[in-house]
Amino acid sequence: MDLSSYTLPDLRKLQAKIESEIRRRSDTTRRTLLKRMQKMAADEGLTLGDLLEAPPAAAAEAKPAAKRGPRAGAKKAKPVSVVKYRNPANPDQGWSGRGRKPQWALDWIAQGKSLDELAV
């Protein structure tokens, strides 16, 4: 299909028709599939609700047991944050040297001073 001869308004009309047709077909397919699934469930003496609401015991049985080693599930301890640098303007503010530099350290460096001067 060559669309180069269509004007922009024609293309927009065509787009609207296509979107409408996609919605219509999607709805039809969904309804048809739902009816088929309801019939399959009814043939087994169940409803779709019965299938969708799995009992907790069945859900637990469905999951395979995870292999567990001697330290399985153990969390790594976070490293202790030891303050290596202090803000000379406010000694309550410290930085471990890990992660993003605090603004006061960036300001210090911007003044042409060395970070080593802030070392504790």
Side-chain angles (χ1 to χ4, degrees), residues 7-59:
T7 64
L8 186 57
D10 290 341
L11 288 172
R12 288 202 173 122
K13 287 178 188 175
L14 183 60
Q15 180 183 17
K17 287 181 182 179
I18 290 171
E19 288 172 355
S20 175
E21 183 64 17
I22 288 172
R23 277 193 303 276
R24 189 188 65 74
R25 288 188 190 188
S26 178
D27 291 345
T28 302
T29 302
R30 188 177 297 117
R31 282 192 300 272
T32 302
L33 184 57
L34 184 58
K35 286 179 186 176
R36 285 180 31 208
M37 290 171 38
Q38 287 171 332
K39 184 182 179 325
M40 289 172 62
D43 290 347
E44 298 297 325
L46 300 169
T47 66
L48 283 181
D50 294 337
L51 297 175
L52 298 175
E53 295 175 9

Side-chain angles (χ1 to χ4, degrees), residues 35-89:
K35 286 179 186 176
R36 285 180 31 208
M37 290 171 38
Q38 287 171 332
K39 184 182 179 325
M40 289 172 62
D43 290 347
E44 298 297 325
L46 300 169
T47 66
L48 283 181
D50 294 337
L51 297 175
L52 298 175
E53 295 175 9
E61 292 172 8
K63 294 181 182 178
K67 294 182 182 179
R68 300 188 68 97
R71 293 187 44 91
K75 294 182 179 180
K76 289 185 180 180
K78 289 186 176 181
V80 178
S81 294
V82 177
V83 174
K84 294 183 182 176
Y85 305 98
R86 287 246 179 244
N87 182 355

Side-chain angles (χ1 to χ4, degrees), residues 82-87 90-97 102 104 118 120:
V82 177
V83 174
K84 294 183 182 176
Y85 305 98
R86 287 246 179 244
N87 182 355
N90 183 355
D92 293 338
Q93 293 178 337
W95 178 50
S96 67
W104 56 264
L118 300 176
V120 176

